[in-house]
Amino acid sequence: MVVVAVRQGIIIGVVDILAQSLQFKRKSSTSSKSTTPQPLLQQVIFSGIQPTGVPHLGNYLGALQQWVQLQNQAAQNTKLIFSIVDLHALTVPQDKPQLQRWTVETIASLLAVGLDQNRSTIFCQSDVPAHTEMMWILSCTASMGYLSRMTQWKSKLALKEDASPLDQNTKAKLKLGLFSYPVLQAADVLVHGATHVPVGEDQVQHLEFTRECAKNFNSVHGNILIEPTTLLSTAKRVMSLKDPLQKMSKSHKDPRSKILLTDSPEEIHLKIKHALTDSISGISFDLATRPGVSNLLEILSHVDPEGRSPQVWAGECKSLKMRAFKELVSDKISSSLSGFRGRYTALMEGRNYSHLKEIARHGAEEARDNSERMLAKVRDAIGI
């Protein structure tokens, strides 16, 4: 995989991504009127995942796989910080025992996909108070108008794109936590001095808002907060197996709509067997007319060690019957997840999960140290 584009603070790709980013910044600085050499920032990669238990295939291909690649390819002095964002999870009602278990399962999942606690900082957001303090500071300059244009709160409430928080119907549904969610997300990133944030397509708007928050603060208090670069995964959204026009989601009522990373080969085979496709003969890639088949081809491409495109796979499978094609997809997915299943099972042995909690505790100590350094600068700048 290579860097395929750089635009508006967004870099697409994984391999050599940090080196490409530095080159881009150097080129930008050489065109500036200033001749004062600017010191290069230490690279800090930050991202977060909600504690929803075992991730599904879309989580893995769209985010977690990229985190592992960045960890394994980043320079040794690059900081890697990955958070289980449990405060974000509170925007919807949570069952206490379930949330606690899901948090442990998420920690185990991050380790099972290949994150190394000795290389990457893994912690729970609620264990680092600097996140919420930074959120309040950013809230004092965040624009209500900007937040009202954000799409996530509208999609979560199933509202139209032109919905306003002041609409009578909206006010009855919208809670402050959901509306201000992007401010906490900006605080997560900025309080750690992140230079790069790997996200999926649906989070690009939130990183643009994060840069806006940094600009607003810096315009008043000086160049303190770092405007992060978005690292956009080349893996597009993985769509639901039962509704290929919607992305795969843990919240979908039908468990057959998603593949969990712990699913057995038999479970994967059954889910792919019942995946919504069509009655057209042969296999071809066409997102507009064959979204279900195209989704399976994209999944096949993402789990292919050789990285063959969906179009190439469509050519190789064009004469297959749908049943044989689905069996091929099932086998490839199951093979790609076999290592995860074994590692996850080993990590979840025992009942108190003390080893997993210790990893999160140690990660929280590192995250507190890192965030407090930036927060000290912010406090000093604003006079508190």
Side-chain angles (χ1 to χ4, degrees):
M1 192 183 302
V2 296
V3 174
V4 295
V6 180
R7 67 177 188 274
Q8 296 180 345
I10 300 174
I11 299 180
I12 302 174
V14 176
V15 175
D16 296 327
I17 206 164
L18 300 181
Q20 292 284 350
S21 173
L22 284 174
Q23 290 173 11
F24 175 68
K25 289 181 178 179
R26 286 181 185 130
K27 290 176 182 178
S28 299
S29 64
T30 55
S31 62
S32 173
K33 293 181 181 180
S34 174
T35 58
T36 304
Q38 298 296 316
L40 293 177
L41 293 171
Q42 179 188 17
Q43 303 299 291
V44 179
I45 297 173
F46 177 92
S47 200
I49 184 172
Q50 287 209 25
T52 56
V54 177
H56 58 65
L57 188 62
N59 300 140
Y60 175 65
L61 296 176
L64 303 184
Q65 188 178 55
Q66 186 187 24
W67 293 8
V68 176
Q69 290 172 333
L70 287 168
Q71 171 192 262
N72 296 341
Q73 295 158 2
Q76 192 58 40
N77 65 342
T78 298
K79 285 186 180 179
L80 299 122
I81 305 172
F82 300 111
S83 178
I84 293 107
V85 288
D86 48 356
L87 294 176
H88 286 297
L90 301 181
T91 57
V92 296
Q94 297 287 347
D95 175 72
K96 176 183 174 180
Q98 179 177 264
L99 179 59
Q100 290 174 330
R101 177 166 179 84
W102 279 356
T103 300
V104 171
E105 290 177 348
T106 303
I107 296 168
S109 296
L110 295 183
L111 297 170
V113 298
L115 288 184
D116 179 358
Q117 72 269 25
N118 296 316
R119 178 68 182 93
S120 298
T121 298
I122 301 170
F123 72 102
C124 292
Q125 178 190 36
S126 60
D127 288 334
V128 182
H131 286 245
T132 49
E133 183 174 344
M134 178 66 90
M135 180 198 178
W136 175 251
I137 293 169
L138 296 177
S139 296
C140 294
T141 57
S143 165
M144 283 282 291
Y146 200 128
L147 287 170
S148 69
R149 295 190 295 273
M150 304 291 280
T151 59
Q152 188 167 44
W153 65 268
K154 299 173 187 178
S155 63
K156 292 289 186 182
L157 299 177
L159 299 172
K160 295 180 180 179
E161 290 186 5
D162 61 351
S164 166
L166 301 179
D167 295 339
Q168 196 63 37
N169 183 51
T170 302
K171 285 194 291 185
K173 298 179 179 178
L174 182 59
K175 307 301 181 186
L176 178 59
L178 179 59
F179 185 67
S180 61
Y181 182 106
V183 187
L184 178 55
Q185 193 172 52
D188 296 337
V189 172
L190 297 176
V191 80
H192 287 285
T195 58
H196 298 80
V197 183
V199 295
E201 284 185 322
D202 58 340
Q203 294 295 315
V204 168
Q205 186 186 49
H206 285 195
L207 263 294
E208 292 171 351
F209 176 76
T210 298
R211 286 190 286 272
E212 182 72 13
C213 287
K215 288 177 182 176
N216 289 343
F217 185 91
N218 290 343
S219 67
V220 176
H221 301 291
N223 192 26
I224 294 173
L225 299 180
I226 297 168
E227 295 179 34
T229 295
T230 304
L231 305 183
L232 184 61
S233 172
T234 55
K236 302 296 182 182
R237 298 185 193 182
V238 176
M239 311 308 285
S240 166
L241 298 179
K242 303 304 291 183
D243 181 1
L245 298 180
Q246 300 294 324
K247 74 174 185 176
M248 189 175 287
S249 171
K250 292 288 287 284
S251 61
H252 198 287
K253 294 180 180 179
D254 190 340
R256 298 176 300 174
S257 69
K258 52 191 170 288
I259 292 174
L260 300 181
L261 299 193
T262 51
D263 281 348
S264 68
E266 294 74 22
E267 290 171 319
I268 293 172
H269 184 275
L270 189 62
K271 290 179 178 181
I272 295 297
K273 178 182 178 180
H274 291 288
L276 181 64
T277 50
D278 54 55
S279 58
I280 301 173
S281 61
I283 304 300
S284 59
F285 183 77
D286 190 325
L287 290 169
T289 62
R290 307 192 73 182
V293 173
S294 298
N295 184 40
L296 295 182
L297 285 167
E298 288 193 319
I299 292 174
L300 195 54
S301 172
H302 295 325
V303 301
D304 179 13
E306 298 179 21
R308 284 167 287 185
S309 69
Q311 292 83 353
V312 169
W313 272 111
E316 295 188 10
C317 300
K318 62 181 179 181
S319 60
L320 291 180
K321 300 291 187 182
M322 190 62 70
R323 179 176 179 178
F325 171 63
K326 287 185 173 182
E327 288 178 350
L328 172 65
V329 175
S330 300
D331 290 343
K332 294 294 185 182
I333 294 173
S334 181
S335 177
S336 71
L337 297 181
S338 61
F340 173 89
R341 285 192 294 267
R343 292 189 294 270
Y344 179 84
T345 300
L347 286 163
M348 290 295 288
E349 287 181 348
R351 293 188 176 182
N352 61 5
Y353 313 117
S354 59
H355 56 301
L356 296 173
K357 294 176 181 178
E358 176 60 22
I359 288 172
R361 186 196 65 76
H362 180 72
E365 289 179 357
E366 293 180 349
R368 282 194 291 270
D369 289 344
N370 188 68
S371 61
E372 282 294 336
R373 284 194 289 272
M374 176 60 76
L375 194 57
K377 295 178 184 178
V378 170
R379 288 181 183 137
D380 181 65
I382 62 179
I384 61 173

